[in-house]
Amino acid sequence: MTTSRADAVHFPAGAEPDEVDLLDDISLPAAWTKRWAVEPSKPTLWDASCGWVTRGDLARRTAAAAGRLYGAGLRKGDRIILSAAASVDLVVAHVAALRLGLIVVPVNGAYQRAELAHIVGDADPRAAVVDNPEWVRWLAELAPEMTVVSPRLDLDDAAAPSLDQMDSRDPALLGYTSGTTGVPKGAVLTHGNLLAGAESVRIAWRWEPEDRLVLALPLFHMHGLGVGLHGTLLTGASAVLLNGFSPEAVLDAANAHDVTLFFGVPTMYTRLAQSDRVAELSRLRLCVAGSAPLSADLHRRLEEAAGVRVLERYGMTETIMLVSNPYDAERRGGTVGFPLPGVELRLAPETDEVLVRGPNVFAGYWRRPEATEEAFDEDGWFRTGDLGELDEDGYLRLRGRAKELVISGGLNVYPREVEDALRTHPDIDDVAIAGTPDEEWGELVTAWVVPTTGRTPKLDELRSYLEGECADFKHPRLLHLVDELPRNALGKVQKHLLE
Ligand code: MLC
Ligand code: AMP
């Protein structure tokens, strides 16, 4: 090996990193259709209602679905919301939208009306694919001209124009996230970003066409969508789609379908470790964890109980995957490993914030030039808002976050949103939201409340107050009543002093 690139550890023996072009295929749809033309009868995706569908089925069904979307008036660059339980139908709708050049806006189905209204107002979508009848009503009120359909795309058949014509720089997806601060913003991921994000883990994790993934993650976040689904289709491998997670469902599917891969958030691994069937994980070739920290202790317990050396990796909505433990070398608990193929990483002097560059890094926030400018430093490095430290031999440890964020069960909760919603409660004078460490959930959303004189709000009351305002995973699970919040001279709550 002639190179000293930090990502070199991820390439298989004999590969020359400098000769690998992650964007060779230009876009995911172009790469996928190339795979589908070979061995069209190979099973690719399974769900409980369709059974197995093949590469050829996907090629035909996504072309037909793209025709329907085109017939409904959707054109390149139009935004389309996708929010439904994981299913083959949803995948067909997603792939069809990308093949047509639409910009997919995946949205968490637990969102309430106000959260959905923000995204509709910001992304200005022309269509939505949803499976929740309540959302159909809300969308009709929020945007009466919008085409709203179920994942079966019950629209008239029509021929699509030529498909898969995108450039790597064309926008493909808006991933809503609050970034380091402020309101949820759409991170614009290009076709090149999506391709690089999936290609880097295909190489690093030795993902092969023979692999089969059990995919129990939702398809509206990067972990399930940008890694699990996109990687499966890029590799020409296969996946079993489960609608929701339980250790039993995952292990049953693994046994029934000869699964080789599992990707999950740490909460899923905690529950697997508690299962008396945990040893069954040993039949898998590779178990990957991410989206939140996996403790070194859980890493060790899984190795002891199941002989599984879980491979932890680190990513973000804005960048897809960034850093991963190596497949062939030591998978070190408590660390996230080395920059993935194509990713450059450094720590900012003094603050130790993780800064990154690479073909996977997003193009900016949708229609928010100022937020975009703030997100990158003067040399074009993206500021992740995560704080890191490097072991002597280069493994990255995430040491905390500069950004205000609570991660519960792999889902992000931005304190500001919950604080703003609670501040209007009559019993609340002042409030701060932060995370409390928890073995199962990683962090529990916790409220520190200064009550209005003479009142003592209860946790249940606060939770019901938030019903309809924000998704239930954002509701506080713990409540502390305090006389005042620790504020600095500028009036900002010093969250590290909350206890
Ligand atoms: C569900 N609930 C949660 C929750 N998930 N509460 C807090 N945090 C969560 N993450 C609520 C339920 O609505 C229910 O509320 C109650 O908690 C108990 O539910 P449960 O049955 O125990 O939960 P379950 O449905 O099993 O869900 C847990 C989970 C799920 C871990 C399987 O949260 C999940 O799929 N998480 C993965 C999210 C994900 O994909 N993250 C990746 C983001 S991408 P009630 O009120 O009804 O009792 C990213 C980038 C990267 O971060 O690097 O990957
Ligand atoms: P999201 O904005 O939902 O994409 O969440 C991205 C954030 O999740 C990152 O900025 C990290 O703070 C966190 N994250 C993802 N993977 C890991 C990991 N393996 N360990 C610790 N934090 C992680």
Side-chain angles (χ1 to χ4, degrees), residues 62-81:
T62 56
R68 289 192 208 158
L69 294 171
Y70 188 79
L74 290 158
R75 296 292 178 268
K76 189 174 176 189
D78 284 344
R79 274 77 58 209
I80 180 168
I81 285 182

Side-chain angles (χ1 to χ4, degrees), residues 178-193:
S178 288
T180 45
T181 52
V183 293
K185 304 176 266 291
V188 180
L189 290 153
T190 63
H191 279 278
N193 296 150

Side-chain angles (χ1 to χ4, degrees), residues 252-335:
D252 287 348
N255 292 334
H257 297 290
D258 286 327
V259 161
T260 62
L261 305 173
F262 172 69
F263 302 165
V265 297
T267 301
M268 295 178 178
Y269 283 100
T270 305
R271 292 182 182 177
L272 280 160
Q274 285 161 353
S275 161
D276 52 17
R277 292 175 60 187
V278 61
E280 293 175 39
L281 278 180
S282 63
R283 61 175 300 148
L284 305 187
R285 174 177 79 77
L286 176 64
C287 291
V288 178
S291 306
L294 182 88
S295 72
D297 177 58
L298 181 55
H299 190 268
R300 186 183 44 74
R301 281 192 283 132
L302 286 159
E303 176 152 20
E304 280 167 13
V308 171
R309 288 180 307 128
V310 174
L311 184 152
E312 183 173 1
R313 92 314 175 265
Y314 154 54
M316 284 181 79
T317 302
E318 289 95 331
T319 62
I320 320 177
M321 292 301 102
L322 284 171
V323 179
S324 170
N325 267 277
Y327 185 80
D328 285 327
E330 181 195 0
R331 300 177 196 165
R332 190 173 296 168
T335 79

Side-chain angles (χ1 to χ4, degrees), residues 291-293 312-313 315-317 336 386 398 401 403 407 412:
S291 306
E312 183 173 1
R313 92 314 175 265
M316 284 181 79
T317 302
V336 289
D386 293 306
L398 294 175
R401 294 187 286 262
K403 59 189 168 192
I407 308 185
N412 290 1

Side-chain angles (χ1 to χ4, degrees), residues 342-361:
V343 176
E344 290 177 89
L345 181 146
R346 67 189 184 91
L347 299 180
E350 319 222 329
T351 61
D352 285 339
E353 181 175 10
V354 177
L355 306 177
V356 292
R357 274 197 317 209
N360 54 312
V361 177

